[in-house]
Amino acid sequence: PDNALAKSGKQDKKGLSQLFYNNLIKNEVDADIANELITQVCEQLVDNNSVNDFINALYKKITNLIGKPSTISFEHAKKPYVVLFAGPTGVGKTTTIAKIAANYYLNYNKKVSMITADTYRIAAVEQLKVYADILGIPLSIVRSAGEMEETIKNYEDVDLILIDTAGRSYRDTDSFEEIKQTISAAQADEIYILLSMTMSTRNCKEVLENYKFIDDYKIIFTKYDEISAPGIILNALYYAKKQVSYITTGQNVPD
């Protein structure tokens, strides 16, 4: 709130609710979600609450909705631990996988290998190959569901396998069926859906709808550095009812 409002102490609930509703909308939070959050806060508070009371109540609602980040878990004895990354074209899957591979290899001393099923984009394969060579970790290219199963078996001595899938449009029905087969063949221990923070809420909902065949997944938000309003985070987590894992920013690996 502006300084004048902050200094004024007690405020009527209607004025505060409109102020913070407008602020959520300004940050590109979906109108229905903003309205629900504000309504819940108003029901919780009594009349003539202070600005700080309203802020604290709204803050708790938002943080409860977002939750704590749930990253790749190593609280298990399974080896190798298979993690698959999926999502639409252009969200930055390949760069994100390289960042995560570097993080666990360099900072956690894990034996990491990478598999790419994205044979549609030569640039994606070459990009991962460059990172794999720099880090000194193995990279395999698979072209079918059968190859995926066999390749994973060949990496039984590593701690972590990271799988890059093709970023095919969910509107391309035939290609999307290939993605489904790849995901099924991988039998991953964890799956991450990547969403670009530059996409609209409408496109975000469409992507989530088309990946609903996956029962359990977490969400990675990419391209945080390319947006000015972060409302897409709240929108996506509200509609998906899934946990956030990572938020990525910039092209620098392993940052």
Side-chain angles (χ1 to χ4, degrees), residues 66 68-73 83-101 103-104 160 162-165 190-199 204 207-208 211 214 216-225 230 232-234 236-237 240-250 255:
I66 293 175
K68 294 183 178 180
S70 177
T71 56
I72 294 174
S73 171
V83 180
L84 182 143
F85 301 81
T89 55
V91 295
K93 285 191 300 299
T94 304
T95 302
T96 299
I97 290 169
K99 290 178 178 182
I100 292 174
N103 182 47
Y104 281 98
L160 180 65
L162 304 177
I163 302 176
D164 188 10
T165 60
E190 291 189 36
I191 296 177
Y192 291 82
I193 302 298
L194 280 77
L195 300 172
S196 170
M197 293 187 67
T198 62
M199 67 172 50
C204 177
V207 170
L208 293 172
Y211 279 100
I214 303 173
D216 188 24
Y217 64 85
K218 301 175 188 176
I219 294 176
I220 295 176
F221 293 101
T222 64
K223 305 187 180 182
Y224 183 80
D225 55 310
I232 189 70
I233 295 176
L234 210 59
L237 296 178
K241 300 295 188 290
K242 302 296 183 183
Q243 291 178 290
V244 63
S245 53
Y246 303 93
I247 294 177
T248 73
T249 177
D255 292 351

Side-chain angles (χ1 to χ4, degrees), residues 1 6 8 65 86 98 109 125 142 147-148 154 163 171 174 182-183 187 192 196 204 217 220 222 236 240 253-254:
S8 61
L65 177 55
N109 296 315
V125 176
V142 301
E147 282 188 30
M148 178 66 74
N154 292 336
I163 302 176
R171 297 181 187 276
D174 291 339
T182 300
I183 292 173
Q187 292 293 300
Y192 291 82
S196 170
C204 177
Y217 64 85
I220 295 176
T222 64
V253 177

Side-chain angles (χ1 to χ4, degrees), residues 156-184:
E156 60 182 14
D157 63 327
V158 305
D159 298 307
L160 180 65
I161 298 176
L162 304 177
I163 302 176
D164 188 10
T165 60
R168 308 299 281 177
S169 171
Y170 55 87
R171 297 181 187 276
D172 185 344
T173 307
D174 291 339
S175 296
F176 205 73
E177 283 301 317
E178 292 181 31
I179 299 296
K180 290 182 178 181
Q181 292 173 15
T182 300
I183 292 173
S184 176

Side-chain angles (χ1 to χ4, degrees), residues 6 32 56-57 63 65 86 112 132 152 207 217 238:
D32 290 340
N56 290 335
T63 53
L65 177 55
V112 181
I152 290 173
V207 170
Y217 64 85
Y238 177 90

Side-chain angles (χ1 to χ4, degrees), residues 104-137:
Y104 281 98
Y105 178 72
L106 297 173
N107 298 327
Y108 294 90
N109 296 315
K110 297 293 183 182
K111 291 184 68 176
V112 181
S113 67
M114 296 187 291
I115 298 174
T116 179
D118 189 359
T119 55
Y120 294 94
R121 281 198 318 122
I122 295 174
V125 176
E126 289 301 314
Q127 187 181 3
L128 264 189
K129 187 175 186 304
V130 168
Y131 290 129
D133 288 344
I134 291 172
L135 292 168
I137 63 178

